[in-house]
Amino acid sequence: MKVMVIGSGGREHALCWKLAHSASVHEVVCAPGNPGIARLARCVDVSVTDMDGLLALASEEQPGLVVIGPEAPLVAGLADRLRERGIAVFGPGQQAAMLEGSKAFAKEIMQQAGVPTAAFEIHRELEAAEAAIRRMGAPIVVKASGLAAGKGVVVAEDEATALTAVREMLAGNRFGDAGAEVVIEECLRGEEASCLFIVSGETIIPLASSQDHKALLDGDQGPNTGGMGAYSPAPCVTPAVATQVLERIARPTIAALRQRGIEFIGTLYAGVMLCDDGPKTLEFNVRFGDPECQPLMMRLRSDLGMLLYDAATGRLKPQSLQWSDDVALCVVVASEGYPGDFEKGQRIGNLAAVEAAGTTVFHAGTVVRDGELRNNGGRVLGVTACAADVASCRAIVYQALDKLDWPGGFFRRDIGHRAVKTGVEQ
Ligand code: AMP
Ligand code: GLY
């Protein structure tokens, strides 16, 4: 079949890469794609926010399957509009996408379903929100309810930080409409993991575990980002933990949506904190994680095209997916300054040498201008490798990164640190 992928990030590059290697897929079209994706797929320059443009493109291309990568078009209802036109879509409709689009809605569903999560309050009025912070006390977490590209969460160690955050959101318009409602919640401690599921109706298939590094700087310091690196599998997700996340979090959440008449077709991403009394949900996403998708796709042995098509068309059967025994690890190279302001258009050189050193480089914020590859976004490259263990993966990726010629590129030096027990140096 012909598959159309919507998006332009590292996640979509990894999806296109895996789809292009799927026996079930003969052609991949991507809108809008990026220079890395263009090596595998036919890219068509339609933005992910151009709903009419995407619908027109789908009508013209008549793909056997559309895979929607990012959250924004899902929350905007693109999947519904495509389905109305009889096109098979992997990605939830607008109502189901509210699990990610509204943290307040996600909390309501979790409460209804008895899913373990941090104790919380939802507020729209500043005074009441400030009172809640004072009542609940620090440490405390303040979240913009709407979409904020992973940047709308403040984990405050003291009350003053939490109060500043809530004022910026409710009074200062910091995240626009996304911050007009806030979730204020208990601060959980523990190790985090990303647990993803392919969902179609009642069928829920776990993907391999992974772990993301959301903080900007080494040692998990600095502000939250969309994710600075990831690896799979995550040793902290033991088989027992994976079962708990499936049975106590994913299944009851999907069942609670179904009780409201909401069908979920797509990827359910549970960000969980492994607490002393079991895994608790930090957030839901309704798509593959970025950068978690990059190591996951490198390890997946099953035919991705068939899997997503079966999910999209109600044919998905409970099954165990096939995974490489290897570890895969992805280090994100970002533009210096991200998640704040940064300069675009800097030349990125020597990528061929980075790949020749044994990595697969997934593109995110890149563009070709004047015949040169240049940075065009915050997160720019995902340099990924597979090897027998995390230490070997790190060695391959970091040695390859020594060859990158981009002075304005920035990356963490400690991706995978929790999985490396022996303090291996890069
Ligand atoms: P979210 O987008 O909700 O996953 O939040 C982004 C990051 O903030 C998470 O990956 C955690 O590191 C942190 N975080 C979110 N909620 C909590 C919480 N209740 N307790 C501690 N840390 C949290
Ligand atoms: N890596 C975190 C996310 O995709 O939301």
Side-chain angles (χ1 to χ4, degrees):
M1 67 187 152
K2 181 203 276 191
V3 181
M4 187 167 133
V5 175
I6 311 294
S8 63
R11 164 186 46 220
E12 289 77 25
H13 189 175
L15 292 172
C16 287
W17 178 83
K18 192 68 202 163
L19 287 166
H21 291 99
S22 295
S24 60
V25 176
H26 73 75
E27 188 184 4
V28 184
V29 178
C30 187
N34 65 39
I37 294 174
R39 295 191 293 181
L40 308 158
R42 181 157 51 82
C43 293
V44 184
D45 193 14
V46 181
S47 149
V48 301
T49 54
D50 178 1
M51 178 92 79
D52 291 337
L54 292 172
L55 293 171
L57 182 65
S59 299
E60 196 180 304
E61 295 282 347
Q62 288 294 314
L65 172 69
V66 175
V67 179
I68 303 174
E71 59 275 20
L74 292 167
V75 170
L78 177 62
D80 307 292
R81 305 275 301 273
L82 288 164
R83 285 193 187 105
E84 282 161 14
R85 289 163 169 74
I87 296 172
V89 184
F90 183 79
Q94 187 164 35
Q95 284 188 304
M98 287 289 281
L99 267 189
E100 177 165 358
S102 164
K103 288 183 191 286
F105 175 77
K107 283 291 198 183
E108 261 176 45
I109 291 285
M110 286 190 264
Q111 203 165 39
Q112 175 192 331
V115 166
T117 187
F120 67 98
E121 290 188 17
I122 297 166
H123 288 283
R124 289 179 153 268
E125 304 299 331
L126 180 59
E127 231 170 86
E130 288 175 336
I133 288 170
R134 294 202 179 91
R135 185 169 2 94
M136 291 164 77
I140 192 162
V141 182
V142 179
K143 301 182 172 185
S145 181
L147 293 183
K151 297 165 199 160
V153 174
V154 176
V155 179
E157 295 299 334
D158 53 78
E159 244 176 65
T161 308
L163 289 169
T164 304
V166 87
R167 281 173 198 142
E168 282 178 359
M169 290 179 197
L170 289 179
N173 202 29
R174 166 104 188 265
F175 297 101
D177 283 351
E181 184 175 50
V182 297
V183 176
I184 296 172
E185 68 180 38
E186 169 198 10
C187 187
L188 301 175
R189 303 284 187 200
E191 191 166 345
E192 282 183 59
S194 305
C195 296
L196 279 66
F197 303 87
I198 302 293
V199 180
S200 180
E202 286 180 316
T203 308
I204 304 178
I205 299 177
L207 299 181
S209 63
S210 56
Q211 195 170 55
D212 177 21
H213 299 60
K214 289 209 170 87
L216 180 70
L217 305 172
D218 285 5
D220 299 318
Q221 302 297 308
N224 260 328
T225 70
M228 294 301 292
Y231 65 98
S232 168
C236 62
V237 183
T238 60
V241 168
T243 303
Q244 287 172 352
V245 177
L246 173 63
E247 299 303 337
R248 297 185 194 167
I249 294 177
R251 254 191 235 295
T253 298
I254 295 300
L257 287 176
R258 287 174 69 86
Q259 269 179 19
R260 294 186 182 204
I262 303 172
E263 181 93 308
F264 195 108
I265 295 176
T267 307
L268 177 69
Y269 167 137
V272 297
M273 187 75 93
L274 305 182
C275 302
D276 291 342
D277 52 346
K280 294 189 181 167
T281 316
L282 292 172
E283 65 165 339
F284 284 121
N285 295 321
V286 297
R287 47 164 178 87
F288 290 98
D290 189 345
E292 290 95 325
C293 188
Q294 290 81 316
L296 285 174
M297 289 305 119
M298 287 209 73
R299 290 189 61 224
L300 183 66
R301 291 281 166 267
S302 307
D303 185 308
L304 181 68
M306 273 324 290
L307 178 70
L308 303 187
Y309 178 78
D310 285 349
T313 55
R315 294 181 172 84
L316 193 65
K317 297 271 177 306
Q319 59 190 280
S320 295
L321 300 175
Q322 303 299 309
W323 300 93
S324 160
D325 290 335
D326 277 355
V327 171
L329 181 138
C330 170
V331 174
V332 169
V333 188
S335 303
E336 186 84 56
Y338 170 80
D341 294 338
F342 52 85
E343 185 194 326
K344 290 185 181 178
Q346 304 165 45
R347 196 187 140 272
I348 300 170
N350 246 1
L351 266 196
V354 175
E355 292 200 299
T359 67
T360 302
V361 178
F362 294 114
H363 289 226
T366 64
V367 68
V368 173
R369 202 173 320 125
D370 305 327
E372 307 255 33
L373 190 71
R374 295 170 191 275
N375 72 321
N376 195 43
R379 294 188 295 167
V380 178
L381 303 169
V383 180
T384 312
C386 268
D389 53 58
V390 177
S392 313
C393 273
R394 273 161 58 116
I396 296 169
V397 170
Y398 285 116
Q399 278 166 23
L401 275 167
D402 281 343
K403 302 185 192 309
L404 181 68
D405 178 14
W406 178 24
F410 165 83
F411 54 89
R412 274 182 63 163
R413 294 255 166 206
D414 65 345
I415 298 304
H417 68 92
R418 286 199 187 80
V420 182
K421 306 262 182 313
T422 49
V424 176
E425 297 303 320
Q426 306 100 29

